Amino acid sequence: MTAALSGRLRRPPKALVREDILDPQFRHDAEHLLGFHVLVEKVLLAEYHRMGLLDAGQVRGIATALDGVTRQSLAADPEANLSDLAFAVERQVTARLTVPVWHVDRSRNDLQACAQLMYGREEALRTVAAVLYCASAARLLAARHTGSVMPGYTHLQAAQVITSGFFVSAVSAHLLRTADRMLATYDGFNRCPLGSGALAGQELRWDRDRMADLLAFAGPEPHALVGVASRAWLLELAGECSTFAVGLSRMVTDLMTWSGSEHGLVELPDDLAGISSAMPQKKNYPILERVRGRTAHLTSWYVDVATAQRATPYSNTVEVSKESAAQLGSAMATMRSVLRLLTEVFERLEFRTGHARERCAEEYLGGFSLANRLALDGAVPWRTAQVIAGRYVVAALEAGLPATAVDGRLLAAVAGEYGHVVTDPERLLRESFDPVAELHRRRSRGSAHPHEVARLLDEQEREHTRLAAALAARRDAVDAVPARVDRLLGG
């Protein structure tokens, strides 16, 4: 007969509880948390040895038994382990050997919190790597188009001349900012809950600093209650993913708009396109719709986590520890899917530069520059210069003139209505409405000027190098944990 786990309960969980709650949770934990769970158990084992509660032989025996714990060796058993991963691991070890003090002064609460945090830490590192990889693809695309003029839009209207490289460099900046913030979030939550116990700390003198160091945490979580009650790290991680998703959805919306037949500014190859079942002339881009659509799941993940945690007691509860964390793996997988798809888009996207330049020439995108020149060179008061420039555009449109047409007499006449004389109006119009000249007039830092975009991309590359090094350092520290712990245990 299997020894009882508790004297408090007389019957095992009901079938409904097993089928709807315990067994699915067991499968999830066995798939995602087991490896971290075993590592935590080994660190606890090293502490028992340090405190003199277990000798070297006992430590080796338990460590060997822990090495034999696999997903295949564990099973959810409502009577033997209450279909709980921690109890299942304990049962497998104690079935092989008897060590009376093993697991003395221990709680599942901080053990599970620690394993879950290590899982979240791993997911965060994998995702930052995907963000940086996508940022590289965006930067390479932007570098090819620092001089490729296209209309820039405000309020969905063509507004000023930019370049396609200028736009994509903004996406790259968003990705790098996301990586930076996610690493900062990682550093903020990288505190070890071990030693928190159930909620009030533990009775033995556990070396919390040593345990944290062995598991590559920056240190122990200072407050025992926070260690087991808080899942703020989930909110923070979900918040960063949601922030990334909101910004990206806007940028992808631009690509979707520009790929439409009304604009025709960008194109993807056939193997990234779709068709209409009824309209043979259409070439659709569902990959962009998928990217934007999946960003919604990341924002809803934050809402899911926040809703599951809000108004709950500040203690260890399954509502917070289990339910609010239920979507962690799928949400982070969704974010990496978004990044993979976006990377492919950046690697294959074609800007129709000739058509984009024609669109710039068709629009009166130099109106702002015309007003500037009237004010700076012609001593026309700024607001009056704005009125003159706007009136000229209206008059030119009414006369059926394209933006590239130069009608100095028309400009002079409009200016004369407001009491101003324009010197060499034809030159002024030619310079104001030439797309390339309009682009090269941008002199401020961060502007669309090709040299300025190139400088931005150089800065982004340096920032990428810094972030990649920071990621590698954290990756190396985490990857070194299993071997370091096994060496400590003599394995």
Side-chain angles (χ1 to χ4, degrees):
M1 178 179 177
T2 303
L5 282 168
S6 170
R8 185 64 179 84
L9 302 180
R10 297 180 180 179
R11 287 180 292 182
K14 189 175 180 179
L16 173 65
V17 175
R18 296 199 309 268
E19 293 167 4
D20 278 30
I21 299 176
L22 298 180
D23 288 356
Q25 187 70 56
F26 189 95
R27 289 192 295 270
H28 172 275
D29 291 352
E31 178 180 357
H32 298 294
L33 303 184
L34 179 58
F36 304 116
H37 189 119
V38 170
L39 276 174
V40 173
E41 286 281 15
K42 288 183 174 181
V43 168
L44 297 173
L45 184 59
E47 276 296 286
Y48 282 127
H49 185 231
R50 184 193 62 79
M51 290 187 288
L53 296 176
L54 297 177
D55 60 33
Q58 291 172 318
V59 166
R60 284 194 297 272
I62 296 174
T64 299
L66 287 171
D67 284 334
V69 175
T70 65
R71 287 175 59 187
Q72 292 72 31
S73 68
L74 297 179
D77 187 324
E79 295 193 8
N81 55 43
L82 293 181
S83 299
D84 176 89
L85 185 68
F87 289 146
V89 172
E90 181 181 288
R91 286 299 203 196
Q92 182 166 324
V93 172
T94 55
R96 295 185 55 177
L97 67 167
T98 301
V99 185
V101 299
W102 186 54
H103 277 184
V104 68
D105 193 38
R106 286 299 309 138
S107 168
R108 280 183 304 168
N109 293 0
D110 61 343
L111 184 152
Q112 291 175 339
C114 188
Q116 188 184 68
L117 182 53
M118 291 173 72
Y119 171 46
R121 194 171 65 171
E122 176 66 25
E123 290 293 301
L125 290 178
R126 291 180 61 197
T127 302
V128 172
V131 172
L132 290 177
Y133 190 78
C134 187
S136 291
R139 201 164 57 253
L140 288 172
L141 176 62
R144 295 199 300 270
H145 292 284
T146 57
S148 303
V149 296
M150 66 172 287
Y153 296 84
T154 63
H155 306 284
L156 302 179
Q157 307 297 323
Q160 290 183 321
V161 176
I162 62 170
T163 67
S164 42
F166 176 68
F167 173 79
V168 179
S169 68
V171 185
S172 173
H174 181 60
L175 289 162
L176 292 175
R177 175 68 169 160
T178 297
D180 186 38
R181 289 177 61 94
M182 287 190 73
L183 285 174
T185 298
Y186 177 99
D187 290 342
F189 68 58
N190 194 31
R191 295 283 174 176
C192 184
L194 284 183
S196 298
L199 82 155
Q202 297 184 256
E203 297 181 11
L204 297 176
R205 293 188 178 275
W206 298 86
D207 188 338
R208 299 195 64 208
D209 291 289
R210 179 179 185 242
M211 291 191 291
D213 181 66
L214 286 171
L215 292 171
F217 286 97
E221 166 53 51
H223 198 290
L225 180 57
V226 174
V228 296
S230 175
R231 292 300 186 276
W233 65 268
L234 264 172
L235 273 170
E236 292 163 4
L237 188 57
E240 291 304 331
C241 292
S242 177
T243 300
F244 159 78
V246 170
L248 182 64
S249 73
R250 300 176 65 194
M251 293 166 167
V252 173
T253 294
D254 286 335
L255 293 177
M256 293 169 68
T257 301
W258 298 342
S259 69
S261 57
E262 292 83 359
H263 290 79
L265 298 175
V266 300
E267 188 170 9
L268 286 168
D270 288 356
D271 58 353
L272 294 181
I275 62 169
S276 167
S277 65
M279 294 160 284
Q281 78 279 8
K282 290 188 66 183
K283 182 181 182 182
N284 301 329
Y285 296 123
I287 187 172
L288 297 176
E289 298 176 51
R290 289 287 188 177
V291 170
R292 190 174 70 173
R294 289 182 182 182
T295 61
H297 304 316
L298 300 176
T299 297
S300 64
W301 177 40
Y302 177 81
V303 175
D304 178 82
V305 174
T307 305
Q309 292 191 18
R310 68 170 303 278
T312 58
Y314 199 76
S315 61
N316 181 75
T317 69
V318 294
E319 187 174 358
V320 172
S321 65
K322 306 291 188 183
E323 293 301 334
S324 81
Q327 304 304 321
L328 169 62
S330 60
M332 297 302 280
T334 295
M335 182 155 173
R336 290 192 294 272
S337 173
V338 165
L339 291 162
R340 284 193 302 272
L341 294 173
L342 189 62
T343 299
E344 183 71 15
V345 167
F346 287 147
E347 290 177 345
R348 309 288 300 286
L349 187 71
E350 292 292 335
F351 283 97
R352 299 182 62 199
T353 55
H355 179 60
R357 184 164 182 158
E358 291 173 1
R359 290 298 302 273
C360 287
E362 292 168 1
E363 302 284 351
Y364 286 85
L365 302 184
F368 179 78
S369 292
L370 175 58
N372 272 348
R373 297 278 65 80
L374 287 170
L376 295 171
D377 301 340
V380 178
W382 165 246
R383 184 51 54 194
T384 303
Q386 280 276 320
V387 173
I388 292 172
R391 285 291 304 277
Y392 169 78
V393 171
V394 171
L397 289 171
E398 290 175 347
L401 297 176
T404 52
V406 175
D407 191 336
R409 289 179 298 178
L410 180 58
L411 176 60
V414 172
E417 293 177 13
Y418 293 88
H420 293 280
V421 176
V422 178
T423 302
D424 198 356
E426 292 191 357
R427 178 188 60 81
L428 185 58
L429 288 171
R430 195 163 41 245
E431 292 178 355
S432 296
F433 291 104
D434 176 76
V436 175
E438 163 74 358
L439 180 67
H440 282 80
R441 274 191 290 272
R442 307 297 164 192
R443 298 176 181 176
S444 59
R445 288 179 66 87
S447 72
H449 191 292
H451 292 168
E452 190 58 24
V453 174
R455 185 192 63 78
L456 284 169
L457 292 174
D458 287 342
E459 285 188 356
Q460 289 181 8
E461 186 169 5
R462 288 192 292 272
E463 175 68 356
H464 188 284
T465 300
R466 181 187 72 83
L467 292 170
L471 173 63
R474 289 154 181 76
R475 177 80 272 170
D476 290 346
V478 168
D479 289 346
V481 168
R484 182 167 68 246
V485 172
D486 283 342
R487 283 195 302 271
L488 181 65
L489 297 177

